[in-house]
Amino acid sequence: MIKKSADPSQWNKNDWAYHNKKVSDWNEIEWENVYELYCAAQLWELDSRIDFDEFKKQMIEDTDFARENKLKPGMESSDYDPWS
């Protein structure tokens, strides 16, 4: 799999469409990958993290939280690595 850039300035139209995909349309792999990236960021910043169920609830109910934790190109893959 070709690694997609994490830099939005390098994204194409399809990458942006994927990034803006509605939370209600995410599949299980996408939920797992977004949560793993959230956990990695929390560890990096030494912040406490919430569990998956609370994360999912906040993604649905809190637009600011959801805006901070959107899909990134490549998250549709089961071999997505949140550390890269």
Side-chain angles (χ1 to χ4, degrees), residues 21-32:
K21 185 177 177 179
K22 292 180 183 179
V23 172
S24 59
D25 295 334
W26 291 6
N27 63 38
E28 185 177 334
I29 291 171
E30 290 164 334
W31 274 110
E32 289 174 9

Side-chain angles (χ1 to χ4, degrees), residues 8-22:
S9 70
Q10 296 179 9
W11 293 357
N12 63 33
K13 184 178 176 180
N14 290 337
D15 295 335
W16 280 106
Y18 183 71
H19 177 69
N20 291 315
K21 185 177 177 179
K22 292 180 183 179

Side-chain angles (χ1 to χ4, degrees), residues 3 6 21 26 31 41 47 51 54 59-60 64 68 72 82:
K3 171 88 169 97
K21 185 177 177 179
W26 291 6
W31 274 110
D47 292 334
D51 68 21
E54 181 63 25
M59 288 297 292
I60 294 167
D64 290 332
E68 294 173 8
K72 295 181 179 21

Side-chain angles (χ1 to χ4, degrees), residues 46-63:
L46 300 176
D47 292 334
S48 60
R49 68 177 192 212
I50 55 178
D51 68 21
F52 180 76
D53 290 333
E54 181 63 25
F55 175 83
K56 195 169 185 177
K57 180 180 177 197
Q58 281 198 280
M59 288 297 292
I60 294 167
E61 296 176 356
D62 183 340
T63 55

